[in-house]
Amino acid sequence: MLVFITGATSGIGKSTAEIFAKNGYDLIITGRRQERLTALKEILESTYKIQVLDLCFDIRHLNKVEQAILSLSAAHKKIDVLVNNAGLAAGLSTIQDGNLLHWEQMIDTNIKGLLYTTKFISNLMIENKKGHIINIGSIAGKEVYANGNVYCATKHAVDALNKAMRIDLLPHQIKVTAINPGMVETEFSIVRFDGDEDRAKKVYAGLQPLHPDDVAETIYWVASRPAHVNINDLVIMPSIQASATNVIRK
Ligand code: NDP
Ligand code: 8X3
């Protein structure tokens, strides 16, 4: 079995690579940071005796995504599970004060990058007559919150695309699932605040967020259901979070 994970250099994607490796899956891991991909490949191959192919590219660039996927070997084209995980929030501002470069980055990564990856890999799955696409959405794809505007819009787009893919791919018996987490402590907030680690720490101060392993375990559980079962859409929250903005802090 082979799983293709976008954004495996950190956070949820890295934990997802680890749990699939532990369960004997071979992996294709992607991201923009080659040194992290190399380190993860080495540790997973030596620990779990599985095979890992690392592909370093930016999912915002259509030609890079196309080249990376279409130049896979015949064996690597037999992808059983695609985890569309790569994504980010950039900034937290009102619409009127929004940074246009942040908007472009989020739209190009979270929507267009996910679409490019899905287009090429879904065609491989159709040829193989099986497959499962797992889209990482967010509570921000179910609700909107102050200053979250464009990030929330991109995750609402993932929510819509998840439903649309399931309909389009139904005749090919390709499963499509969305996993929508609440707060998970990863590099997400450091990226959102442009490397400001002190500001990022405050997001999780006095509360217990999800650990990326919590989300990865759910992704693995979804992928390991019997062939006749599909989980369409799942929201996973820390127990201290009832909605995007309702949290209990000590
Ligand atoms: P991290 O910042 O820890 O990981 C993000 C991953 O995405 C990295 O591996 C990064 O790799 C990759 N990535 C980002 N931009 C690109 C790009 N242009 N091309 C290729 N890869 C890219 O954050 P998380 O693990 O938290 O985020 C994973 C997903 O989970 C995202 O889609 C996020 O929106 C979603 N999410 C996160 C939540 C949270 O609270 N943390 C809650 C709900 C959803 P690299 O930098 O090497 O390219
Ligand atoms: C990440 C969760 O609430 O910061 O998708 O938008 S949130």
Side-chain angles (χ1 to χ4, degrees), residues 74-150:
H76 281 118
K77 282 185 174 154
K78 295 202 180 313
I79 295 162
D80 296 288
V81 181
L82 162 63
V83 183
N84 271 325
N85 165 76
L88 81 165
L92 189 66
S93 307
T94 58
I95 283 283
Q96 58 275 26
D97 291 333
N99 175 321
L100 292 173
L101 292 178
H102 283 164
W103 293 2
E104 306 277 2
Q105 195 184 3
M106 290 187 278
I107 291 166
D108 289 351
T109 310
N110 301 357
I111 305 177
K112 292 166 72 179
L114 178 143
L115 279 170
Y116 301 155
T117 310
T118 302
K119 161 139 180 85
F120 297 114
I121 295 186
S122 63
N123 275 300
L124 299 180
M125 289 176 166
I126 289 168
E127 274 173 38
N128 296 335
K129 298 188 170 49
K130 63 173 180 159
H132 191 166
I133 298 173
I134 301 178
N135 295 308
I136 307 305
S138 171
I139 189 64
K142 304 288 185 185
E143 302 171 27
V144 291
Y145 52 86
N147 303 318
N149 41 61
V150 176

Coordinates of all heavy atoms in Angstrom, one line a residue, residues 74-150:
A74 N 6.1 3.6 -12.7 CA 4.8 2.9 -12.8 C 4.4 2.4 -11.4 O 3.3 2.5 -11.0 CB 4.9 1.7 -13.7
A75 N 5.4 2.0 -10.6 CA 5.1 1.5 -9.2 C 4.6 2.6 -8.3 O 3.6 2.4 -7.5 CB 6.3 0.8 -8.6
H76 N 5.2 3.8 -8.5 CA 4.8 4.9 -7.6 C 3.5 5.6 -8.1 O 3.0 6.4 -7.3 CB 6.0 5.9 -7.6 CG 7.1 5.5 -6.6 ND1 8.4 5.3 -7.0 CD2 7.1 5.3 -5.3 CE1 9.1 5.0 -6.0 NE2 8.4 5.0 -4.9
K77 N 3.1 5.2 -9.3 CA 1.8 5.8 -9.7 C 0.6 5.0 -9.1 O -0.5 5.4 -9.3 CB 1.7 5.7 -11.2 CG 2.5 6.9 -11.9 CD 2.4 7.0 -13.4 CE 3.1 8.2 -13.9 NZ 3.5 8.1 -15.3
K78 N 0.9 3.9 -8.5 CA -0.2 3.1 -7.8 C -0.4 3.6 -6.4 O -0.1 3.0 -5.4 CB 0.2 1.6 -7.9 CG 0.3 1.1 -9.3 CD 0.1 -0.4 -9.3 CE 0.2 -1.0 -10.7 NZ -0.6 -0.3 -11.8
I79 N -1.0 4.8 -6.3 CA -1.2 5.5 -5.0 C -2.5 5.1 -4.5 O -3.6 5.2 -5.1 CB -1.1 7.0 -5.2 CG1 0.3 7.4 -5.7 CG2 -1.5 7.7 -4.0 CD1 0.4 8.8 -6.3
D80 N -2.5 4.5 -3.3 CA -3.8 4.1 -2.6 C -4.5 5.2 -1.9 O -5.7 5.3 -1.9 CB -3.5 2.9 -1.6 CG -2.9 1.7 -2.3 OD1 -3.7 1.0 -3.0 OD2 -1.7 1.5 -2.3
V81 N -3.7 6.0 -1.2 CA -4.2 7.1 -0.4 C -3.5 8.4 -0.7 O -2.3 8.4 -0.7 CB -4.1 6.8 1.1 CG1 -4.7 7.9 1.9 CG2 -4.7 5.4 1.5
L82 N -4.3 9.5 -1.0 CA -3.7 10.8 -1.1 C -4.1 11.6 0.1 O -5.4 11.7 0.4 CB -4.2 11.5 -2.4 CG -4.0 13.0 -2.4 CD1 -2.6 13.5 -2.4 CD2 -4.7 13.6 -3.7
V83 N -3.2 12.2 0.9 CA -3.6 13.1 2.0 C -3.2 14.5 1.5 O -2.0 14.9 1.4 CB -2.9 12.7 3.3 CG1 -3.4 13.6 4.4 CG2 -3.1 11.3 3.7
N84 N -4.2 15.3 1.2 CA -4.1 16.7 0.8 C -4.0 17.5 2.0 O -5.0 18.1 2.6 CB -5.3 17.1 0.0 CG -5.2 16.9 -1.5 OD1 -4.1 17.0 -2.1 ND2 -6.3 16.5 -2.1
N85 N -2.7 17.6 2.5 CA -2.5 18.3 3.8 C -1.8 19.6 3.7 O -2.1 20.5 4.6 CB -1.7 17.3 4.7 CG -1.1 18.0 5.9 OD1 -1.8 18.3 6.9 ND2 0.2 18.3 5.9
A86 N -0.9 19.8 2.8 CA -0.1 21.1 2.7 C -1.1 22.3 2.7 O -2.0 22.3 2.0 CB 0.7 21.1 1.5
G87 N -0.8 23.2 3.6 CA -1.6 24.4 3.7 C -1.1 25.3 4.7 O -0.2 25.0 5.5
L88 N -1.7 26.5 4.8 CA -1.2 27.5 5.8 C -2.2 28.6 5.9 O -3.1 28.8 5.0 CB 0.1 28.1 5.3 CG 0.1 29.2 4.3 CD1 1.4 29.9 4.3 CD2 -0.2 28.7 2.9
A89 N -2.1 29.3 7.1 CA -2.7 30.6 7.2 C -1.6 31.6 7.2 O -0.5 31.4 7.8 CB -3.5 30.7 8.6
A90 N -1.8 32.8 6.6 CA -0.8 33.8 6.6 C -1.5 35.1 7.1 O -2.4 35.6 6.4 CB -0.2 34.0 5.2
G91 N -1.2 35.6 8.2 CA -1.8 36.8 8.8 C -3.1 36.6 9.4 O -3.7 35.5 9.4
L92 N -3.5 37.6 10.1 CA -4.8 37.6 10.9 C -5.3 39.1 10.9 O -5.0 39.8 11.9 CB -4.6 37.0 12.3 CG -5.8 36.7 13.1 CD1 -6.7 35.6 12.5 CD2 -5.4 36.3 14.5
S93 N -5.9 39.5 9.8 CA -6.3 40.9 9.7 C -7.7 41.1 9.2 O -8.2 40.2 8.5 CB -5.4 41.6 8.7 OG -4.1 41.5 9.0
T94 N -8.3 42.2 9.4 CA -9.5 42.5 8.7 C -9.4 42.6 7.2 O -8.2 42.7 6.7 CB -10.0 43.9 9.2 OG1 -9.0 44.9 8.8 CG2 -10.3 44.0 10.6
I95 N -10.5 42.5 6.5 CA -10.4 42.6 5.0 C -9.8 43.9 4.6 O -8.9 43.9 3.7 CB -11.9 42.5 4.5 CG1 -12.4 41.0 4.5 CG2 -11.9 43.1 3.1 CD1 -11.8 40.1 3.4
Q96 N -10.2 45.0 5.3 CA -9.7 46.3 4.8 C -8.2 46.5 5.0 O -7.6 47.2 4.3 CB -10.5 47.4 5.4 CG -10.6 47.5 7.0 CD -11.6 46.6 7.6 OE1 -12.0 45.6 7.1 NE2 -12.1 47.0 8.8
D97 N -7.7 45.7 6.0 CA -6.2 45.8 6.3 C -5.4 44.7 5.7 O -4.2 44.6 6.0 CB -6.0 45.9 7.8 CG -6.5 47.2 8.4 OD1 -6.5 48.2 7.7 OD2 -6.9 47.2 9.6
G98 N -6.1 43.8 5.0 CA -5.5 42.5 4.6 C -4.2 42.7 3.7 O -4.2 43.7 2.9
N99 N -3.3 41.8 3.8 CA -2.1 41.8 3.0 C -2.3 41.0 1.8 O -2.6 39.8 1.9 CB -0.9 41.3 3.9 CG 0.4 41.1 3.2 OD1 0.4 40.8 2.0 ND2 1.5 41.4 3.9
L100 N -2.2 41.6 0.6 CA -2.6 40.9 -0.6 C -1.7 39.7 -0.9 O -2.1 38.7 -1.4 CB -2.5 41.9 -1.8 CG -3.6 43.0 -1.8 CD1 -3.4 44.1 -2.8 CD2 -5.0 42.4 -1.9
L101 N -0.4 39.9 -0.5 CA 0.5 38.7 -0.7 C 0.1 37.5 0.1 O 0.2 36.4 -0.3 CB 2.0 39.1 -0.4 CG 2.5 40.1 -1.4 CD1 4.0 40.5 -1.0 CD2 2.5 39.6 -2.9
H102 N -0.4 37.8 1.4 CA -0.9 36.7 2.2 C -2.1 36.1 1.6 O -2.2 34.8 1.6 CB -1.3 37.3 3.6 CG -0.2 37.6 4.5 ND1 -0.3 38.4 5.6 CD2 1.1 37.2 4.5 CE1 0.8 38.4 6.3 NE2 1.7 37.7 5.6
W103 N -3.0 36.9 1.0 CA -4.2 36.3 0.4 C -3.8 35.4 -0.8 O -4.3 34.3 -0.9 CB -5.1 37.4 -0.2 CG -5.7 38.3 0.9 CD1 -5.5 38.2 2.2 CD2 -6.6 39.4 0.6 NE1 -6.3 39.2 2.8 CE2 -6.9 39.9 1.9 CE3 -7.1 40.0 -0.5 CZ2 -7.8 41.0 2.0 CZ3 -8.0 41.0 -0.4 CH2 -8.3 41.6 0.8
E104 N -2.9 35.9 -1.6 CA -2.4 35.1 -2.8 C -1.8 33.8 -2.3 O -2.1 32.7 -2.9 CB -1.3 35.8 -3.6 CG -1.7 37.2 -4.1 CD -2.5 37.2 -5.3 OE1 -2.8 36.2 -5.9 OE2 -2.9 38.4 -5.8
Q105 N -1.0 33.9 -1.3 CA -0.3 32.7 -0.8 C -1.3 31.6 -0.3 O -1.2 30.4 -0.6 CB 0.6 33.1 0.4 CG 1.7 32.0 0.7 CD 2.5 32.4 1.9 OE1 2.3 33.5 2.5 NE2 3.5 31.6 2.3
M106 N -2.3 32.1 0.5 CA -3.3 31.1 1.0 C -4.1 30.5 -0.1 O -4.4 29.3 -0.1 CB -4.2 31.8 2.1 CG -3.4 32.1 3.3 SD -4.5 32.7 4.6 CE -4.6 34.5 4.2
I107 N -4.6 31.4 -1.0 CA -5.5 30.9 -2.1 C -4.7 29.9 -3.0 O -5.1 28.8 -3.4 CB -6.1 32.1 -2.9 CG1 -7.1 32.8 -2.0 CG2 -6.7 31.6 -4.2 CD1 -7.5 34.2 -2.5
D108 N -3.4 30.3 -3.3 CA -2.6 29.5 -4.2 C -2.2 28.1 -3.6 O -2.1 27.1 -4.3 CB -1.3 30.2 -4.6 CG -1.6 31.4 -5.6 OD1 -2.8 31.5 -6.0 OD2 -0.7 32.2 -5.9
T109 N -2.0 28.1 -2.3 CA -1.6 26.9 -1.6 C -2.8 26.0 -1.3 O -2.9 24.9 -1.7 CB -0.8 27.2 -0.3 OG1 0.2 28.1 -0.6 CG2 -0.2 25.9 0.3
N110 N -3.7 26.6 -0.5 CA -4.8 25.8 0.1 C -5.9 25.4 -0.9 O -6.5 24.3 -0.7 CB -5.5 26.6 1.2 CG -4.6 27.0 2.3 OD1 -3.4 26.7 2.3 ND2 -5.0 27.8 3.3
I111 N -6.1 26.2 -1.9 CA -7.1 25.8 -2.9 C -6.4 25.3 -4.2 O -6.6 24.2 -4.6 CB -8.0 27.0 -3.3 CG1 -8.7 27.6 -2.1 CG2 -9.1 26.6 -4.3 CD1 -9.5 28.9 -2.3
K112 N -5.6 26.2 -4.8 CA -5.1 25.8 -6.2 C -4.1 24.6 -6.1 O -4.1 23.7 -6.9 CB -4.5 27.0 -6.9 CG -5.6 28.0 -7.2 CD -5.0 29.4 -7.6 CE -4.3 29.4 -8.9 NZ -3.8 30.8 -9.3
G113 N -3.2 24.6 -5.0 CA -2.3 23.5 -4.9 C -3.0 22.2 -4.6 O -2.6 21.2 -5.2
L114 N -4.0 22.3 -3.8 CA -4.8 21.1 -3.5 C -5.5 20.6 -4.8 O -5.5 19.4 -5.1 CB -5.8 21.4 -2.4 CG -6.8 20.3 -2.0 CD1 -7.0 20.3 -0.5 CD2 -8.1 20.3 -2.7
L115 N -6.0 21.5 -5.6 CA -6.7 21.1 -6.9 C -5.7 20.5 -7.8 O -6.0 19.5 -8.5 CB -7.3 22.4 -7.5 CG -8.7 22.8 -6.9 CD1 -9.1 24.1 -7.5 CD2 -9.7 21.7 -7.3
Y116 N -4.5 21.1 -8.0 CA -3.5 20.6 -9.0 C -3.2 19.1 -8.6 O -3.1 18.2 -9.4 CB -2.2 21.4 -9.0 CG -2.3 22.9 -9.3 CD1 -1.4 23.8 -8.9 CD2 -3.4 23.3 -10.1 CE1 -1.5 25.1 -9.2 CE2 -3.4 24.7 -10.4 CZ -2.5 25.6 -10.0 OH -2.6 26.9 -10.3
T117 N -2.9 19.0 -7.3 CA -2.5 17.6 -6.8 C -3.6 16.6 -7.0 O -3.3 15.5 -7.5 CB -2.2 17.7 -5.3 OG1 -1.3 18.8 -5.0 CG2 -1.5 16.4 -4.8
T118 N -4.8 17.0 -6.7 CA -5.9 16.1 -6.8 C -6.2 15.8 -8.3 O -6.5 14.6 -8.6 CB -7.2 16.8 -6.2 OG1 -6.9 17.1 -4.9 CG2 -8.4 15.9 -6.3
K119 N -6.1 16.7 -9.2 CA -6.3 16.4 -10.6 C -5.4 15.3 -11.1 O -5.9 14.3 -11.7 CB -6.1 17.7 -11.4 CG -5.9 17.4 -12.9 CD -6.6 18.4 -13.8 CE -6.4 18.0 -15.3 NZ -7.3 17.0 -15.8
F120 N -4.1 15.5 -10.9 CA -3.2 14.5 -11.4 C -3.3 13.1 -10.7 O -3.3 12.1 -11.3 CB -1.8 15.0 -11.4 CG -1.6 16.2 -12.3 CD1 -1.3 17.4 -11.8 CD2 -1.8 16.1 -13.7 CE1 -1.2 18.6 -12.6 CE2 -1.8 17.2 -14.5 CZ -1.5 18.5 -13.9
I121 N -3.5 13.2 -9.4 CA -3.5 11.9 -8.6 C -4.8 11.2 -8.8 O -4.9 10.0 -8.9 CB -3.1 12.1 -7.2 CG1 -1.6 12.5 -7.2 CG2 -3.3 10.8 -6.4 CD1 -1.0 12.6 -5.8
S122 N -5.9 11.9 -8.9 CA -7.2 11.2 -9.1 C -7.2 10.5 -10.4 O -7.8 9.4 -10.6 CB -8.4 12.2 -9.0 OG -8.3 13.2 -10.0
N123 N -6.5 11.1 -11.5 CA -6.5 10.3 -12.7 C -5.7 9.0 -12.6 O -6.0 8.0 -13.2 CB -5.9 11.2 -13.8 CG -7.0 12.1 -14.4 OD1 -8.0 11.6 -15.0 ND2 -6.9 13.4 -14.3
L124 N -4.6 9.0 -11.8 CA -3.9 7.8 -11.6 C -4.8 6.8 -10.8 O -4.8 5.6 -11.1 CB -2.6 8.1 -10.7 CG -1.6 9.0 -11.3 CD1 -0.4 9.2 -10.4 CD2 -1.1 8.5 -12.7
M125 N -5.6 7.3 -9.9 CA -6.5 6.4 -9.1 C -7.5 5.8 -10.0 O -7.9 4.6 -9.9 CB -7.1 7.2 -7.9 CG -6.1 7.5 -6.8 SD -6.9 8.5 -5.5 CE -5.6 8.3 -4.2
I126 N -8.0 6.6 -10.9 CA -9.0 6.1 -11.9 C -8.4 5.0 -12.7 O -9.0 3.9 -12.9 CB -9.6 7.3 -12.8 CG1 -10.4 8.2 -11.9 CG2 -10.4 6.7 -14.0 CD1 -10.8 9.5 -12.6
E127 N -7.2 5.2 -13.2 CA -6.5 4.1 -13.9 C -6.4 2.8 -13.1 O -6.5 1.7 -13.6 CB -5.1 4.5 -14.4 CG -5.1 5.3 -15.7 CD -3.7 5.9 -16.0 OE1 -2.7 5.2 -15.7 OE2 -3.7 7.0 -16.5
N128 N -6.1 3.0 -11.8 CA -5.9 1.9 -10.9 C -7.2 1.3 -10.4 O -7.2 0.3 -9.7 CB -5.0 2.3 -9.7 CG -3.6 2.7 -10.1 OD1 -3.1 2.3 -11.1 ND2 -3.0 3.5 -9.3
K129 N -8.3 2.0 -10.7 CA -9.6 1.6 -10.3 C -9.8 1.5 -8.8 O -10.6 0.7 -8.2 CB -10.0 0.2 -10.9 CG -10.0 0.3 -12.4 CD -10.6 -1.0 -13.0 CE -10.8 -1.0 -14.5 NZ -9.8 -0.4 -15.3
K130 N -9.0 2.3 -8.0 CA -9.2 2.4 -6.6 C -8.5 3.6 -6.0 O -7.5 4.1 -6.7 CB -8.9 1.1 -5.8 CG -7.4 0.8 -5.9 CD -7.1 -0.4 -5.0 CE -5.6 -0.7 -5.1 NZ -5.0 -1.4 -4.0
G131 N -8.8 4.0 -4.8 CA -8.1 5.1 -4.2 C -8.9 5.8 -3.1 O -10.2 5.6 -3.1
H132 N -8.3 6.6 -2.3 CA -8.9 7.3 -1.3 C -8.2 8.7 -1.1 O -7.0 8.7 -0.9 CB -8.8 6.5 0.1 CG -9.7 7.0 1.2 ND1 -9.9 6.3 2.3 CD2 -10.4 8.2 1.3 CE1 -10.7 7.0 3.1 NE2 -11.0 8.2 2.5
I133 N -9.0 9.7 -1.3 CA -8.5 11.1 -1.1 C -8.9 11.7 0.2 O -10.2 11.7 0.5 CB -8.9 12.0 -2.3 CG1 -8.4 11.4 -3.6 CG2 -8.5 13.4 -2.1 CD1 -9.0 12.1 -4.8
I134 N -8.0 12.1 1.0 CA -8.3 12.6 2.3 C -7.9 14.1 2.4 O -6.7 14.4 2.2 CB -7.7 11.8 3.5 CG1 -8.1 10.4 3.4 CG2 -8.0 12.4 4.8 CD1 -7.5 9.4 4.4
N135 N -8.9 15.0 2.4 CA -8.6 16.4 2.4 C -8.5 17.0 3.8 O -9.5 16.8 4.6 CB -9.7 17.1 1.6 CG -9.7 16.7 0.2 OD1 -8.7 16.8 -0.5 ND2 -10.9 16.3 -0.3
I136 N -7.5 17.7 4.1 CA -7.4 18.4 5.4 C -8.0 19.7 5.3 O -7.5 20.7 4.8 CB -6.0 18.4 6.0 CG1 -5.3 17.0 6.0 CG2 -6.0 19.0 7.4 CD1 -6.1 15.9 6.7
G137 N -9.3 19.8 5.9 CA -10.0 21.1 5.9 C -9.7 21.8 7.3 O -8.5 21.8 7.7
S138 N -10.7 22.3 7.9 CA -10.5 22.9 9.2 C -11.8 23.3 9.8 O -12.8 23.4 9.1 CB -9.7 24.2 9.0 OG -9.6 25.0 10.2
I139 N -11.8 23.6 11.1 CA -13.0 24.2 11.7 C -13.3 25.5 11.0 O -14.4 26.0 10.9 CB -12.9 24.4 13.2 CG1 -14.2 24.8 13.9 CG2 -11.7 25.3 13.6 CD1 -15.3 23.9 13.8
A140 N -12.2 26.1 10.4 CA -12.3 27.4 9.7 C -13.0 27.2 8.3 O -13.3 28.2 7.6 CB -10.9 28.0 9.5
G141 N -13.3 25.9 8.0 CA -14.0 25.6 6.8 C -15.5 25.4 7.1 O -16.3 25.2 6.2
K142 N -15.8 25.4 8.4 CA -17.2 25.2 8.8 C -17.8 26.5 9.4 O -19.0 26.7 9.5 CB -17.3 24.2 9.9 CG -16.7 22.8 9.5 CD -17.6 22.1 8.5 CE -17.1 20.7 8.2 NZ -17.9 20.1 7.1
E143 N -16.9 27.4 9.9 CA -17.3 28.6 10.6 C -16.3 29.7 10.1 O -15.3 29.4 9.6 CB -17.1 28.5 12.1 CG -17.8 27.4 12.8 CD -17.4 27.3 14.3 OE1 -16.9 28.3 14.8 OE2 -17.5 26.2 14.8
V144 N -16.7 31.0 10.3 CA -15.8 32.1 10.1 C -15.6 32.8 11.4 O -16.4 32.8 12.3 CB -16.2 33.1 9.0 CG1 -16.2 32.5 7.7 CG2 -17.6 33.6 9.3
Y145 N -14.4 33.4 11.6 CA -14.1 34.2 12.8 C -13.5 35.5 12.4 O -12.9 35.6 11.3 CB -13.3 33.3 13.8 CG -12.0 32.7 13.2 CD1 -10.8 33.5 13.1 CD2 -12.0 31.4 12.7 CE1 -9.7 32.9 12.6 CE2 -10.8 30.9 12.1 CZ -9.7 31.6 12.1 OH -8.5 31.1 11.6
A146 N -13.5 36.4 13.4 CA -13.0 37.7 13.1 C -11.5 37.7 12.6 O -10.7 36.9 13.2 CB -13.0 38.6 14.4
N147 N -11.2 38.4 11.6 CA -9.9 38.5 11.0 C -9.4 37.2 10.3 O -8.3 37.1 9.8 CB -8.8 38.9 12.0 CG -9.2 40.2 12.7 OD1 -9.6 41.1 12.0 ND2 -9.0 40.2 14.0
G148 N -10.3 36.2 10.2 CA -9.9 34.9 9.6 C -10.3 34.9 8.1 O -10.0 33.9 7.4
N149 N -11.0 35.9 7.7 CA -11.6 36.0 6.3 C -11.1 35.1 5.2 O -11.7 34.1 4.8 CB -11.6 37.5 5.9 CG -10.3 38.1 6.3 OD1 -9.2 37.7 5.8 ND2 -10.4 39.2 7.1
V150 N -9.9 35.4 4.7 CA -9.4 34.6 3.5 C -9.0 33.2 3.9 O -9.3 32.3 3.1 CB -8.3 35.4 2.8 CG1 -7.7 34.6 1.6 CG2 -8.8 36.8 2.3

